């Protein structure tokens, strides 16, 4: 089951479990749509994997299996990706 992390690893923007603006890689590294597109060009700075829309858990299931509250913030990886000149 996906952990549904609560924030963008680049900018620390809140990403509620029901948002359509979250992007994840296969390791569940989590980013907002803006950072995924403009800073990271659709690639995870941690593993190089593709960033795709994070699925949303139905509300009744979310009540039983809540999203994670653990925030992961790694702005250095995003800064390195931006400095490399990666363009979408």
């Amino acid at each position: 089951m996906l952990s549904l992390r609560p924030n963008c690893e680049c900018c620390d923007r809140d990403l509620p479990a029901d948002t359509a603006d979250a992007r994840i890689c296969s390791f569940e590294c989590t980013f907002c749509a803006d950072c995924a597109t403009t800073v990271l060009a659709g690639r995870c700075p941690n593993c190089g994997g593709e960033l795709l829309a994070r699925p949303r858990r139905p509300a009744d299931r979310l009540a039983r299996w809540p999203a994670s509250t653990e925030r992961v913030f790694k702005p250095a990886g995003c800064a390195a990706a931006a400095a490399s000149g990666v363009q979408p």
Side-chain angles (χ1 to χ4, degrees):
M1 177 172 18
L2 294 174
S3 63
L4 303 177
R5 294 178 186 163
N7 67 305
C8 174
E9 289 186 24
C10 279
C11 68
D12 204 30
R13 175 180 161 195
D14 288 341
L15 295 170
D18 62 352
T19 186
D21 292 331
R23 303 291 180 265
I24 61 171
C25 70
S26 64
F27 289 97
E28 292 190 63
C29 301
T30 304
F31 304 93
C32 68
D34 291 338
C35 287
T37 302
T38 61
V39 177
L40 304 173
R43 292 284 166 201
C44 177
N46 303 317
C47 70
E50 183 179 19
L51 295 173
L52 300 171
R54 179 179 73 188
R56 287 170 280 176
R57 190 169 297 152
D60 63 322
R61 300 296 199 266
L62 191 57
R64 185 168 177 190
W65 294 286
S68 173
T69 58
E70 179 184 349
R71 297 181 79 84
V72 177
F73 185 45
K74 298 179 182 179
C78 297
S84 73
V86 173
Q87 294 296 315

